[in-house]
Amino acid sequence: MHIQEWLETVPAVSVYVLVGVVIGLESLGIPLPGEIVLVSAALLAAGHDGINPWILGACASVGAVVGDSVGYAIGRKGGRPLLARLGGKFPKHFGESQIGMAERSFQKWGMWAVFFGRFVALLRIFAGPLAGVLHMPYWKFLIANVLGGIVWAGGTTAVVYSVGVVAEAWLKRFSYLGLVVAVLVGVTSMLVLKNRAKKATARTPAVSVPEAGTVPAAD
């Protein structure tokens, strides 16, 4: 069963909770399809009067901020050995190449990596734990975490909900052709932006990361 079809069978409160929990766990460092669940729920809200997009966006934002904060605490306490253990359990998400790319992004962009990492699936999983491992000052992490969580979760909900409402109107006028064109344009734009972000990150030179137990230089 498709995620959106399944969401239509559960009460609105359950949808809010599900979105918040899944996004929270993904932000904590567990590879879950948080973005897919959020997009599906927002599309469902566009055609379902019982689901409030404002509440949905708020729940997604809270889940993102809380999950990232917990991930930061775990990463700061676990250090590099934590990433090694995660690499053994989730090699496709926490392999050496993925960790290296995320580390280079953090070393180059700092707190901006936490903010913009919300919009890249890989960095969204890494952001909290890796910021803790790298001993990023918590106040910097908190600012980027809160702003990034609200902009990503709230913005995604608003955009997808609006597109869903428009698409529904198009379906009544132009059948499924209008929706197919809209989806293709949206997906193509997203892939182009993500590809450019990955290329920019790959060009950044590798930077060594402090081992667990070492004291980082004061900011």
Side-chain angles (χ1 to χ4, degrees):
M1 180 182 291
H2 191 275
I3 291 179
Q4 188 170 354
E5 293 177 352
W6 180 79
L7 287 174
E8 292 177 353
T9 66
V10 298
V13 174
S14 299
V15 174
Y16 302 144
V17 173
L18 175 67
V19 169
V21 169
V22 171
I23 290 178
L25 291 176
E26 182 191 37
S27 301
L28 190 152
I30 300 175
L32 293 175
E35 191 170 42
I36 294 177
V37 171
L38 178 58
V39 169
S40 297
L43 285 174
L44 179 61
H48 195 298
D49 295 334
I51 298 178
N52 189 312
W54 290 95
I55 298 178
L56 180 64
C59 291
S61 300
V62 171
V65 173
V66 172
D68 242 16
S69 297
V70 175
Y72 175 91
I74 293 175
R76 192 170 182 102
K77 183 176 181 179
R80 292 286 296 180
L82 172 65
L83 295 181
R85 290 195 296 271
L86 289 174
K89 294 182 178 180
F90 307 104
K92 292 184 179 180
H93 298 86
F94 291 90
E96 292 184 3
S97 60
Q98 290 87 348
I99 292 177
M101 188 191 78
E103 288 175 347
R104 291 192 294 272
S105 299
F106 270 71
Q107 292 290 355
K108 181 176 181 179
W109 302 108
M111 63 187 294
W112 289 109
V114 178
F115 179 87
F116 289 111
R118 280 288 173 193
F119 302 89
V120 181
L122 177 63
L123 291 180
R124 189 162 56 248
I125 297 173
F126 275 116
L130 191 55
V133 170
L134 295 176
H135 291 270
M136 176 182 289
Y138 183 70
W139 68 269
K140 288 185 177 182
F141 170 79
L142 183 62
I143 292 175
N145 178 30
V146 172
L147 292 179
I150 293 175
V151 172
W152 172 73
T156 298
T157 302
V159 171
V160 174
Y161 175 80
S162 300
V163 170
V165 172
V166 173
E168 188 175 0
W170 280 11
L171 286 176
K172 294 178 180 178
R173 295 182 180 182
F174 309 109
S175 72
Y176 285 94
L177 180 60
L179 178 60
V180 170
V181 173
V183 170
L184 288 177
V185 172
V187 170
T188 301
S189 301
M190 179 184 67
L191 291 177
V192 170
L193 290 174
K194 287 190 175 183
N195 186 49
R196 289 183 178 178
K198 287 183 179 180
K199 287 183 178 179
T201 301
R203 287 196 296 267
T204 306
V207 180
S208 60
V209 180
E211 297 294 333
T214 59
V215 179
D219 287 350

